């Protein structure tokens, strides 16, 4: 098309600018993420030499060259995801015309990622939609039967995420895996607190992960600039976090951050802006409370949960009691269970101290559960 021969003298990249100059051309460069630096250099050079050239480059991050316009390609919305899954699984249309609720759940949990949906659709030969939805907690084993003629990185869900993971630096991997402890996303403040490490600029690393579409930033009213992971990326990163031996430590950082947030906001929950600050706490800490209960809490994590519950009981006084529901008195956690007596009991010595510590551990486990309910 361009009249360039491989066997001609000189390197191809040196002859390309002259061949493209003076003619309107669209050059498509696909899957650039693994050679991003080289592609950026080549595209910049060609665009300077050929003003009428337009370059369409696809990849997981921008080229970051002068004149670039970035178009983010989001996952499929729920309606389109259901349509794709239904077509690939050959499910047909329900008599009512409405989408199968189990199919909707599958598509939502797979975040509308086309490859994940196609891999899941192959399982419909042996599973019902309900059975498939119930097995998504083990998604990497479940979604491992792609087309044999597809590139290796597109044959399984794990291989797809492995491809992106291997392109990251060590610092980017550290921040990404630690973000996975936030069940429903987090603020920049929470990310910097939980992911901190000496010598690391968490904000800069977070920006790079957003550029690579591995972290999503939510915007709009009330979003508070939150960052979140797709569910499949989060599940993958939890595995990486555990493999790195960091799971317990990062869970504890996570709980300490939200405990401190609850304690900091607790006085405001009784003032004139109680309702506003109450919403703020629920938005920023609700997911963390649920995550604390779901992350196999034990030991110091449970003690931290008890502190968080202790920081929040007075909020009950600002809520209208539901029919038949008792409003806890000041000093009690929601639905009973005093926290302060457990703290005082630790000061006793001998067998009394051992019993008090055992009682505190038990109350800590209950506190995690109560904290999860308060975060709903």
């Amino acid at each position: 098309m361009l009249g360039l021969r491989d066997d001609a003298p000189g390197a191809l990249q040196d002859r390309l600018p002259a061949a493209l100059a003076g003619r309107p051309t669209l050059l498509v460069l696909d899957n650039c993420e693994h050679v991003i630096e080289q592609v950026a250099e080549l595209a910049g050079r060609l665009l300077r030499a050929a003003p009428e050239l337009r370059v369409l480059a696809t990849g997981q991050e921008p080229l970051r060259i002068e004149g670039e316009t970035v178009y983010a390609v989001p996952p499929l919305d729920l309606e389109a995801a259901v349509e794709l899954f239904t077509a690939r699984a050959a499910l047909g249309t329900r008599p009512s015309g409405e989408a199968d609720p189990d199919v909707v759940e599958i598509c939502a949990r797979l975040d509308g990622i086309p490859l994940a949906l196609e891999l899941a659709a192959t399982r419909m030969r042996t599973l019902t939609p309900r059975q498939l939805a119930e097995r998504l907690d083990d998604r990497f084993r479940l979604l491992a039967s792609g087309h044999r003629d597809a590139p290796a990185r597109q044959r399984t869900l794990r291989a797809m995420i492995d491809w992106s993971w291997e392109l990251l630096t060590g610092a980017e991997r550290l921040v990404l895996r630690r973000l996975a402890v936030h069940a429903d996303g987090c603020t920049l403040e929470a990310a910097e607190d939980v992911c901190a490490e000496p010598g690391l600029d968490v904000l800069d690393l977070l920006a790079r992960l957003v550029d690579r579409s591995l972290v999503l930033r939510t915007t709009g009213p009330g979003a508070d600039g939150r960052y979140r992971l797709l569910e499949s990326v989060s599940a993958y990163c939890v595995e990486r976090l555990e493999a790195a031996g960091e799971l317990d430590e990062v869970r504890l950082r996570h709980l300490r951050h939200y405990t401190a947030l609850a304690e900091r906001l607790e006085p405001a929950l009784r003032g004139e802006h109680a309702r506003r600050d109450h919403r703020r706490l629920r938005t920023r800490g609700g997911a963390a409370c649920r995550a604390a209960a779901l992350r196999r809490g034990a030991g110091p994590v449970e003690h931290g949960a008890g502190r968080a519950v202790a920081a929040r009981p007075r909020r009950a006084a600002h809520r209208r009691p539901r029919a038949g529901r008792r409003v806890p008195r000041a000093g009690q956690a929601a639905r009973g269970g005093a926290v302060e007596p457990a703290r005082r009991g630790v000061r006793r010595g001998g067998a009394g101290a051992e019993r008090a510590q055992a009682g505190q551990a038990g109350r800590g486990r209950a506190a995690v559960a109560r904290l999860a309910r308060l975060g709903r």
Side-chain angles (χ1 to χ4, degrees):
M1 177 180 175
L2 296 177
L4 297 175
R5 297 175 57 88
D6 292 339
D7 56 357
L12 181 62
Q13 60 266 31
D14 295 331
R15 292 181 284 131
L16 262 176
L20 293 170
R23 55 192 297 184
T25 306
L26 174 64
L27 177 64
V28 179
L29 305 172
D30 196 20
N31 291 328
C32 300
E33 57 269 5
H34 59 300
V35 286
I36 192 70
E37 297 292 341
Q38 296 87 340
V39 170
E41 181 182 354
L42 176 62
R45 181 180 176 188
L46 294 178
L47 288 167
R48 288 190 295 271
E52 295 186 75
L53 174 66
R54 297 293 181 268
V55 176
L56 175 61
T58 70
Q60 293 184 358
E61 61 180 306
L63 297 182
R64 291 202 290 270
I65 60 176
E66 186 178 356
E68 180 180 27
T69 301
V70 178
Y71 295 92
V73 181
L76 299 176
D77 62 35
L78 190 55
E79 183 178 355
V82 169
E83 183 178 352
L84 174 63
F85 181 85
T86 301
R88 292 293 188 267
L91 293 179
T93 306
R94 302 180 78 192
S96 64
E98 297 178 354
D100 185 331
D102 295 327
V103 171
V104 171
E105 179 183 343
I106 292 167
C107 294
R109 293 196 60 191
L110 293 178
D111 299 299
I113 300 173
L115 178 61
L117 295 171
E118 297 209 12
L119 291 171
T122 65
R123 289 296 188 181
M124 294 306 298
R125 301 188 189 101
T126 53
L127 298 173
T128 66
R130 183 68 255 149
Q131 290 172 327
L132 178 59
E134 290 173 348
R135 284 164 173 76
L136 284 180
D137 285 341
D138 193 15
R139 65 187 63 203
F140 296 114
R141 186 177 65 85
L142 184 68
L143 306 183
S145 301
H147 297 295
R148 291 189 178 93
D149 60 347
R153 68 178 183 274
Q154 296 178 5
R155 292 178 190 169
T156 70
L157 181 63
R158 183 182 296 281
M160 180 188 77
I161 304 179
D162 275 339
W163 168 263
S164 299
W165 177 266
E166 294 301 326
L167 296 173
L168 300 178
T169 65
E172 289 167 342
R173 293 177 186 178
L174 182 146
V175 170
L176 182 61
R177 67 177 179 249
R178 290 182 179 182
L179 286 173
V181 299
H182 298 278
D184 291 332
C186 64
T187 62
L188 176 59
E189 177 190 15
E192 289 181 318
D193 201 4
V194 173
C195 301
E197 197 68 26
L200 290 189
D201 184 342
V202 174
L203 175 58
D204 180 63
L205 294 167
L206 194 58
R208 290 191 227 166
L209 293 170
V210 170
D211 279 347
R212 293 174 181 268
S213 302
L214 288 169
V215 175
L216 304 181
R217 182 174 181 269
T218 58
T219 58
D224 201 16
R226 295 176 68 81
Y227 300 88
R228 71 177 184 89
L229 306 182
L230 297 178
E231 186 172 330
S232 295
V233 175
S234 180
Y236 179 92
C237 289
V238 167
E239 290 186 3
R240 288 288 184 172
L241 193 61
E242 197 159 12
E246 297 179 338
L247 184 58
D248 288 339
E249 176 193 348
V250 177
R251 282 172 49 234
L252 188 55
R253 288 188 186 188
H254 171 273
L255 188 55
R256 283 172 175 165
H257 170 83
Y258 286 102
T259 299
L261 173 65
E263 291 176 337
R264 190 165 70 248
L265 292 181
E266 191 270 341
L269 298 180
R270 291 172 286 154
E272 59 178 321
H273 301 298
R275 189 177 297 276
R276 180 200 65 190
D277 290 319
H278 202 180
R279 283 196 301 268
R280 181 185 175 202
L281 183 57
R282 288 174 64 85
T283 300
R284 296 178 61 184
C289 297
R290 291 193 295 275
L294 295 173
R295 302 286 189 192
R296 302 188 297 277
V301 175
E302 290 172 348
H303 176 67
R307 285 180 56 216
V309 172
R312 300 180 67 185
R314 292 184 181 87
R315 58 168 278 189
H318 300 284
R319 298 171 61 182
R320 292 184 179 179
R322 299 173 187 167
R325 180 175 179 178
R326 179 176 60 84
V327 178
R329 296 188 301 275
Q332 286 186 321
R335 298 181 184 271
V339 175
E340 288 302 323
R343 293 182 178 176
R344 290 194 296 271
V346 176
R347 300 193 184 102
R348 296 195 299 268
E354 294 177 1
R355 287 193 298 271
Q357 289 169 356
Q360 184 181 34
R363 281 186 286 272
R365 286 188 289 271
V368 173
R370 288 196 296 274
L371 187 56
R373 289 196 295 270
L374 287 171
R376 290 195 179 107

